[in-house]
Structures are given as structure tokens and as C-alpha cells.
Amino acid sequence: MSESRITPMTAAEIFRRRELTTMQRIQRALHRHPEISPLCVLLAALVTFSFASSRFLQPSNLSLILQQVSVVGSLAIGQTLIILTAGIDLSVGAMMLLVTMVIGVLAGKAGVPGWLSLGIGIGVGGFAGFLNGVLVAQVRLPPFIVTLGSLNVFIAIALLMSGGRSIPGADLGPFLVATNLSFPVGPFQFTVGAVLVIAMYLAVGFALSQTAWGRHVYAVGDDSSAARLAGIQVKRLLLSVYTLTGVIVALSAWVLIGRVGAATTSSAVDANLDSVTAVVIGGASLFGGRGSLLGTFLGAVIVGVFRNGLALARFDVLYQTLAIGLLIIAAVSLDQWIRGVKAQR
Amino acid sequence: MNASIAIDADSARVPVLSARGLVKTFGPVVALDGVDVDVYSGEVLAIIGDNGAGKSVLIKCLTGAEIPDAGQLRVEGRPVAFRKPQDARDAGIETVYQSLALSPALDIASNMFLGRERRRDNILGRWLHMLDKRGMRREAAEKVATLGIQTIQDITQVVETLSGGQRQAVAVARAVAFGGKVIVLDEPTAALGVREGGVVLEIVRKLRNQGLAVILISHNMPHVFESADRIHIQRLGRCAGVITPKTHTMPQAVAIMTGAISVADSLPGAAAGNPGRAGDLEG
Ligand SMILES: Nc1ncnc2c1ncn2[C@@H]1O[C@H](COP(=O)(O)OP(=O)(O)OP(=O)(O)O)[C@@H](O)[C@H]1O
Ligand SMILES: [Mg+2]
């Protein structure tokens, strides 16, 4: 193409048109499609663990992994939205337990019908998320501090409501534990909860990639003052993100109640940090504006695959923790390198 | 064309955008100390002044990016109070801010349509609010091509991979591509090469000939004197005077800008016949 130009090229132009090195090509590709790296990690893990244990790739085990990651994967949807806006949410786990206890007390003690308890739980989740959003968007406090505070508030209320006891599934009625019902799809077993989570991924993924709202989420996370000058209502957008996250968290509580078979505060203690882990391994940038829900889904599955595969290979649980820790550091380093794309050119 | 006739014609009309007594402070810093501005359809009003004179703050107050502490804004004679940039956009005021206000992670087309995205014209668009990505890309490419901005080639390129001048071109294209009544450009040519700078000035002239009002901030005096009808000189948060390229020379403008002379010194009685502006000169 350069031969056809009439004017001779300057040295700088020749330099600009130089062939990219392989590394630069990889860097550009990863920059455009942040989900490539978690996909590679996942494939490598699947291959490795299938050698380590013959049971690993069996449909029953793969179905189990999907069920095991459904709660964290669900929280990670909300976490992705918030991290895309350059925030972080330390309270989603506590909020999920709060909603769990609200639903449990209403259905198990007050005798409210299951569907209505869930509806009220969703309202409580949305309102709790909205309060986080008000503190972040209106009062302009850093999301880390806001959610560190609300984490403690939510967990305290949840414990006060439970009185230290869990409410068994038998008291909750069939509707609330229905998320644990499973049905076969070919050789695999899907639970209603897992299907619900996948549907949430599809719905929120559509909103992020195909609507103006999704674009605005990226723009605000990228540079919120630029987004404001470009005519985006930043406060309103942040409120919508935090409120939607609350609703997603409430649905996660439903999935959790089904998986545990009870409403209890003693489960899913690591779920909050695991949700951050899934988002980061999924290729999203903690600086905001970059990442995708597909990446987060892969990230959540990777965490589940590592935990399950290492357990099957009879490694101590501490090695699972070690492996996840290394994965996080590798993912963040990779993100830093990918972000270097803009420095070139 | 005779300068005094042009000014007389102006004073008979209602300014499309006008401000009276704008005050803006940031804690102890007084950025604007009672500034009046009028801009009419079909004219280019340049704003010049030293660094920190308050030019950017002034246009931010005119375009909803900052809320003035005191003062009154009018659009076509009607009082308005902009709370946010979108309010000014809705009133037909498009702005290129000095910071450009682009989203680095989005591509050129997404940036041009940021805040006014187009939905698909079918059920998916109406019910699911699905974006018409292809349509927006096509339209963005067309608009860039009609404006004659050749430095932008691939409309799907991500903004963070563009050079400073290319980014500036994208910001200018975004502001002028969607029409409006008033186009505000805060140093739109600062990072542009000679050719692209010329293209932007050509666009400014075209917009004026189409009857739009253009507010142009620039440190480039030849650009200002080439394209402006009137020049608002901002100095230390106040308006040091409004001159025209016909009545003043570049050295005089710079002297007023730096406070070496006042407008009254430079041209006794020159701006007479326009009582509205005589007030400015004393302020
Ligand atoms: N957000 C802000 N907070 C505090 N002070 C500000 C802010 N914005 C502007 N100022 C102050 O207001 C004054 C005017 O700034 P402004 O940006 O309008 O200058 P300018 O004339 O545009 O200069 P330049 O030619 O360098 O762009 C400066 O003293 C600046 O420090
Ligand atoms: Mg400025």
C-alpha cells in the first residue's frame, strides 16, 4: 500500500508502518477482546486437570462445577458492573446474606408466601444497592469505603435477624428452594439456579453490549468527567448500576437458599472476594471502563475448575487458595501490560 | 463590508446566547468576576486572554459544565439555567471542551454518538433499546468525510490509540456534526497540524455562513484575526473589552490582553454607536 503513495515517506512514517512484533499483536488482540486470556487459562486448566484425574471431565463433575460456581458467578455479574464504573463492591456478599435472612424470616417465620418473600427480598436488595449508590454518586465517597461500611451494617442486620439460627428449607416452602431442582440436558444435570444465573448473564450482557446504558457504563468508568461533559448523567447512571447490582444480589440469595437448602448466615463467607476474583481473572480492569461479562463468566468458571480439579487431584485445600492467589496476580499483571497499548502509536 | 454597519445590524437583533454578570469562584480563586457575553447568529466571537484569564471557565458556565455563582443566561432572549451539559445541548449549544471530553476506551463512532445513541428502527430497538451500531458507524463516517477531516480514517478505531491531534479532530467533528444553534470551541486547533488546523477554521467559516453562532477560544492570533467577527478579550476574570479585527491590530489586542493599554486608550470612541458594549469597556 505504501508504494502507491506519490510523496516519499518520512523516516517517522516508515517507523509507524513497521511490522508489529508478535508480542504487540497479542497485546492488541487482548486489548480488543479481554476475554481471550481467561479462555486460554480455562482451556489449559481443563486439559491439565483431565490428565490429573479421570473423573474430572465426566459430565456429572462438570455439572457439579457449574452448580458450585452459580452463587459466586451470580454475584460476579453485579461486581462486574461496579468494577466497570471504576468502583468495587465489598458488600455484595453481606447484602446477599441480608436478603437471605429477610426472605427466610418472612417465609419461614411470618408465613408470607414464598414468591412474595422473594419479591420483598428483591426490593430490599435493590434498596440496599441504591443506598450504596447514593453514598457513591451523591455524597461522592470512594466505593471501597462505602461498601466496607455497608458490609458491616448488612452483616450485623442479617445476624440480628437470624439470631444465630438458620431457617430450614422445609419451613421455607417449595418455591424458595426450587433453585436447587435439577433436570437432565443430555448427559449433564442443570439446576434451576444455574439456568437462572445463565439467563442473568445473557440479559445483563445484552444490556452492556447492545444498549446506550451499557455504553454509558463503560464511558463513566473510563473517565467520568469526560462522560459528564459528553452529556451523560453520571449520578443517575451510577445509581442505576448500584441498584441493579442489589437486585442481582437478591436473586443470588435465592440461588443460595436453594443450594444450601436453608436460609442461613453461615454459608458463602468467601463469596464476596471470590466475585472480585472472578471479575479480575475474567480480564476486567480495576481502573474501570474495560472488561466484559463473558470474561467474568469464564473467570467464575476458572475459579470453580481450579478448586474442583485440585480437590479431585487430592491437593490440600490450601493449594486451591494458593493457585487462586497466583491467578489473580497474573491477571492483574496482564491487565497492566495490556493497558500499555495506548502508550504506543 | 463596513464594520460599523455589521455592528449596528447586530445590536438590533437578539443574541442567540447572552450572559450578564457571570461570577464563578473556586474557594478563594475568583475565576469570573462579573462577565457579560453576547453572541449572535451568523458570527464568530473569539475569546482571547492569557492562561488562567477565565476563558475556559467562562464557556463552561455558558454550556452547563459549571454552574455560575451569580449571573443570568439567556438563549434567544429567554432566561435559562443550565444544571448540566445535557441541558445546554438540548438548547442547541454544542461544545468542544479543552479536555476534549472523549472516552478513551470507546471507538470514534461511539464517541461521536455518546449521549445521543441511536436505537434500531425495529422491535429490537423499541422494546429492547438495542443500538443501531452499524447505522451510527455509517453516519459517523459520512459526517467526518463531509467535514473534510482526513486524519480520521478508521471510524472503529479506539480513541486511546489516536494521536492528540486526531482526538481533537474527533471532538470537533462530534460538536459540529449534529448541528445546533451555537458551537463553542475551546482551543480546537491547539494540537492540530497546519492542514487540519486550516480544515477546522474552514469548518468554522462554513458554520457561520450557515447562520450558526460560533464561540472560538484560541491563543493563535492569526487564526483569531482571520476568522473572528468580534473578539472578546478576557483578562483576570473580567472582560477587558470587545474589539473587532477591523478596528484593532494584533499587537493592540495583545496589549489589551496583557493590560498594557485599555480599549479606551487604543481607540477613543471607536465602539460608539453600541451602548450595550460601551458598558463592557468600563468593566
Ligand atoms: N475546577 C477548578 N477548581 C479550582 N480552580 C479552577 C478550576 N477551574 C479553573 N480554575 C481557576 O480559574 C482560573 C481560570 O481558569 P481557566 O481554565 O478558565 O483559564 P483559561 O483562560 O482557560 O486558561 P488557558 O489558556 O490556560 O486554558 C484559573 O486561575 C484556574 O486556576
Ligand atoms: Mg482554558
Side-chain angles (χ1 to χ4, degrees):
Chain A
M1 50 172 181
S2 51
E3 288 79 8
S4 66
R5 285 171 55 116
I6 303 147
T7 45
M9 286 200 290
T10 65
E13 275 176 318
I14 294 168
F15 177 72
R16 268 237 289 261
R17 278 154 199 265
R18 74 198 183 281
E19 284 291 299
L20 296 174
T21 64
T22 316
M23 282 310 256
Q24 282 173 324
R25 277 176 207 281
I26 295 174
Q27 193 181 20
R28 291 253 167 106
L30 290 177
H31 189 260
R32 258 182 190 244
H33 305 285
E35 51 285 328
I36 292 179
S37 45
L39 190 62
C40 294
V41 172
L42 180 60
L43 292 178
L46 288 176
V47 171
T48 313
F49 289 127
S50 67
F51 284 118
S53 163
S54 56
R55 271 175 46 211
F56 179 75
L57 277 184
Q58 280 174 12
S60 62
N61 190 51
L62 294 180
S63 306
L64 179 67
I65 293 177
L66 190 61
Q67 290 164 32
Q68 284 169 336
V69 300
S70 58
V71 171
V72 166
S74 170
L75 288 182
I77 299 174
Q79 193 69 260
T80 305
L81 292 176
I82 286 177
I83 286 180
L84 280 177
T85 65
I88 190 153
D89 197 330
L90 301 180
S91 73
V92 287
M95 200 191 286
M96 177 171 69
L97 296 184
L98 171 64
V99 173
T100 300
M101 288 326 295
V102 167
I103 293 174
V105 168
L106 285 174
K109 295 196 175 154
V112 178
W115 60 269
L116 185 57
S117 307
L118 177 66
I120 294 172
I122 290 174
V124 169
F127 184 68
F130 176 78
L131 288 184
N132 276 340
V134 168
L135 291 172
V136 169
Q138 213 77 35
V139 191
R140 291 166 175 276
L141 300 174
F144 185 91
I145 303 300
V146 168
T147 56
L148 184 61
S150 55
L151 150 71
N152 289 290
V153 172
F154 296 154
I155 204 79
I157 299 176
L159 288 171
L160 285 172
M161 288 180 73
S162 75
R165 251 173 278 144
S166 61
I167 300 159
D171 294 358
L172 295 173
F175 178 77
L176 287 174
V177 292
T179 44
N180 202 38
L181 294 179
S182 64
F183 56 92
V185 177
F188 298 97
Q189 285 284 327
F190 277 75
T191 59
V192 171
V195 172
L196 174 67
V197 173
I198 290 171
M200 282 157 64
Y201 267 96
L202 293 177
V204 179
F206 176 86
L208 265 184
S209 64
Q210 301 296 332
T211 70
W213 177 84
R215 288 243 167 114
H216 297 175
V217 169
Y218 284 91
V220 166
D222 214 8
D223 183 342
S224 73
S225 56
R228 192 182 86 87
L229 291 178
I232 294 172
Q233 303 197 29
V234 175
K235 281 183 194 170
R236 221 170 39 188
L237 184 102
L238 286 175
L239 282 178
S240 76
V241 163
Y242 278 85
T243 307
L244 177 60
T245 297
V247 170
I248 293 168
V249 167
L251 290 170
S252 317
W254 188 23
V255 177
L256 179 73
I257 291 173
R259 260 198 70 70
V260 180
T264 172
T265 52
S266 58
S267 56
V269 279
D270 292 332
N272 203 118
L273 286 182
D274 279 356
S275 73
V276 177
T277 306
V279 177
V280 170
I281 292 179
S285 169
L286 287 173
F287 298 97
R290 212 173 63 80
S292 74
L293 261 194
L294 176 59
T296 296
F297 180 78
L298 294 171
V301 173
I302 287 172
V303 173
V305 161
F306 266 73
R307 286 203 194 284
N308 176 285
L310 289 171
L312 277 185
R314 301 195 180 286
F315 278 102
D316 189 274
V317 68
L318 287 178
Y319 285 99
Q320 300 175 22
T321 312
L322 181 70
I324 304 293
L326 293 177
L327 267 181
I328 296 175
I329 292 172
V332 175
S333 315
L334 187 67
D335 173 50
Q336 197 64 22
W337 180 63
I338 294 170
R339 283 156 49 85
V341 162
K342 62 180 149 187
Q344 305 164 5
R345 277 244 205 185
Chain B
M1 205 210 294
N2 185 313
S4 67
I5 290 174
I7 288 176
D8 284 342
D10 278 352
S11 63
R13 296 185 329 203
V14 180
V16 57
L17 176 65
S18 83
R20 287 289 169 274
L22 287 182
V23 174
K24 181 72 190 175
T25 58
F26 298 97
V29 179
V30 180
L32 295 182
D33 189 4
V35 179
D36 299 348
V37 187
D38 288 309
V39 56
Y40 297 86
S41 296
E43 77 159 354
V44 176
L45 175 71
I47 301 180
I48 62 172
D50 267 334
N51 296 118
K55 306 181 295 295
S56 293
V57 174
L58 174 59
I59 63 104
K60 281 183 179 169
C61 287
L62 295 177
T63 59
E66 298 276 6
I67 301 171
D69 301 334
Q72 177 67 61
L73 283 186
R74 285 170 189 274
V75 172
E76 292 173 332
R78 283 185 306 277
V80 291
F82 299 143
R83 312 294 303 175
K84 49 187 187 299
Q86 188 63 49
D87 295 346
R89 251 193 193 184
D90 292 342
I93 301 170
E94 292 284 340
T95 313
V96 176
Y97 293 100
Q98 199 166 8
S99 63
L100 302 183
L102 298 172
S103 266
L106 298 182
D107 64 25
I108 295 173
S110 307
N111 263 290
M112 285 184 63
F113 279 90
L114 198 56
R116 55 184 142 214
E117 287 83 359
R118 201 149 298 160
R119 291 181 198 157
R120 290 195 190 188
D121 191 20
N122 56 23
I123 296 205
L124 289 173
R126 248 167 313 198
W127 292 15
L128 297 176
H129 292 196
M130 196 164 177
L131 291 174
D132 181 11
K133 289 189 188 177
R134 201 177 302 156
M136 288 193 286
R137 266 187 212 141
R138 198 186 47 232
E139 204 170 318
E142 279 167 13
K143 290 194 158 148
V144 166
T146 3
L147 290 172
I149 301 173
Q150 287 170 15
T151 177
I152 303 172
Q153 291 183 342
D154 178 6
I155 210 81
T156 63
Q157 207 177 341
V158 176
V159 163
E160 67 189 354
T161 63
L162 297 178
S163 76
Q166 289 174 318
R167 289 182 199 202
Q168 209 153 33
V170 173
V172 172
R174 171 169 77 181
V176 303
F178 296 92
K181 298 175 194 144
V182 183
I183 309 285
V184 182
L185 306 162
D186 192 347
E187 300 194 24
T189 56
L192 295 181
V194 177
R195 210 192 71 79
E196 294 300 329
V199 169
V200 169
L201 291 189
E202 188 53 44
I203 292 172
V204 165
R205 264 191 296 275
K206 235 188 267 171
L207 292 170
R208 175 188 51 195
N209 294 342
Q210 287 166 11
L212 275 70
V214 180
I215 298 179
L216 173 71
I217 298 182
S218 179
H219 286 292
N220 185 322
M221 288 302 145
H223 280 180
V224 167
F225 272 75
E226 191 188 323
S227 44
D229 296 298
R230 292 186 301 129
I231 303 171
H232 169 120
I233 304 177
Q234 185 72 15
R235 179 173 150 69
L236 303 175
R238 289 161 178 255
C239 176
V242 181
I243 62 171
T244 74
K246 309 232 165 58
T247 53
H248 288 69
T249 63
M250 278 188 227
Q252 282 176 314
V254 173
I256 298 170
M257 203 171 98
T258 54
I261 58 169
S262 73
V263 175
D265 294 345
S266 72
L267 206 79
N274 190 344
R277 227 159 278 135
D280 292 357
L281 306 185
E282 274 124 44

